[in-house]
Amino acid sequence: MTAQEFTGRTALVTGAASGIGLAVATLLAERGAQVAVADWNLDGAREAAAALVKTGAKALAVQVDVTDPASVEAAVRATVQGLGPLSLAVNNAGIGGAIAPTGAYEPEDWRRVLATNLDGVFYSMRYELPEILAAGGGAIVNMASILGTNGFAGSPAYVAAKHGVVGLTKTAAIEYAPQGVRVNAVGPGFIDTPLLKDTDPAARDLLISLHPAGRLGRAEEVAELTTFLLSDRASYVTGSYHLVDGGYSAR
Ligand SMILES: NC(=O)c1ccc[n+]([C@@H]2O[C@H](COP(=O)([O-])OP(=O)(O)OC[C@H]3O[C@@H](n4cnc5c(N)ncnc54)[C@H](O)[C@@H]3O)[C@@H](O)[C@H]2O)c1
């Protein structure tokens, strides 16, 4: 393999067995990174890592439950032990959660979504940052959503969690910029991944109509922006929230 922009760099991607995380892990590996494919779905992570290894990349499947700080700490340790000093991370694992208006949202559904989509991003940065500092710097992307800045009826927990991810991103960026760590958030519009598998055709058409581009996004389109933000080409980009949404937020 010829040297590419991520050659020699170790990346950890959570939620990498499927959808956006899988597309990000694949693009990072194509561009030379050694990639920890982290997911609570271990079979899926193994399958994805094996596919990357087949292309000549160095990849490792790691089981992680991002709602559990001990599990995240162990996954970060396994990544460093298996692939070397960590300099890149994409905190992407997430769930859609139940759909109900705020006045009828079950507290346990709220907790589950917040635990995965917000606590999970905090725990990930909590254990990644010391390793990235030890490696001499690097970059983190947190996967937010257009719902990190817009409301969405029926998804109070998801919207609150994603707004939280944007705030957490800005705070970590301010804290660690002097030490050579950039932290950004990505806000995808609705993307055609297994996350939307339970969406019926009418609801899907409605979602499409919210995007001036006239279609849902592709995971690969989110991966392009994410890998740009991780790369040295984005060396002056930190603490910001970047949309990839087919025009959704421009309306
Ligand atoms: N698909 C969309 O429309 C869309 C839009 C905006 C933002 N996002 C965000 O992008 C991220 C990825 O979503 P996707 O569409 O690729 O979904 P997906 O369902 O295809 O993939 C999510 C992955 O996360 C893993 N995961 C879930 N909970 C986990 C946990 N506790 N610990 C470890 N892994 C866990 C799943 O096993 C799965 O492999 C999520 O944070 C999601 O909120 C998605």
Side-chain angles (χ1 to χ4, degrees), residues 17 22 37 41-53 61:
L22 178 58
V37 178
N41 170 5
L42 183 59
D43 288 344
R46 284 192 173 134
E47 202 179 304
L52 298 183
V53 167

Side-chain angles (χ1 to χ4, degrees), residues 10-14 36 38 60 62-66 68-89 91 120 122-132:
T10 294
L12 169 62
V13 183
T14 69
L60 179 71
V62 178
Q63 190 165 32
V64 69
D65 176 359
V66 298
D68 174 4
S71 172
V72 175
E73 184 178 20
V76 171
R77 197 180 322 117
T79 300
V80 173
Q81 280 169 359
L83 297 174
L86 182 70
S87 58
L88 307 172
N91 300 319
F122 165 64
Y123 297 146
S124 298
M125 288 207 290
R126 166 65 183 83
Y127 294 106
E128 290 158 359
L129 279 162
E131 292 297 339
I132 295 176

Side-chain angles (χ1 to χ4, degrees), residues 169-170 173 183-186 229 237-242:
T169 298
K170 291 176 181 174
V183 189
N184 288 286
V186 164
L229 292 169
V237 183
T238 196
S240 39
Y241 165 56
H242 306 265

Side-chain angles (χ1 to χ4, degrees), residues 18 20 39-40 64-66 92 143-144 158 162 189 191 193-195:
S18 172
I20 293 169
D39 206 290
W40 69 0
V64 69
D65 176 359
V66 298
N92 161 82
M143 201 55 66
Y158 189 92
K162 294 300 187 181
I191 308 297
T193 73
L195 193 83

Side-chain angles (χ1 to χ4, degrees), residues 70 79 89 119 126 163 172 178 232:
T79 300
D119 297 1
R126 166 65 183 83
H163 276 66
D232 293 340

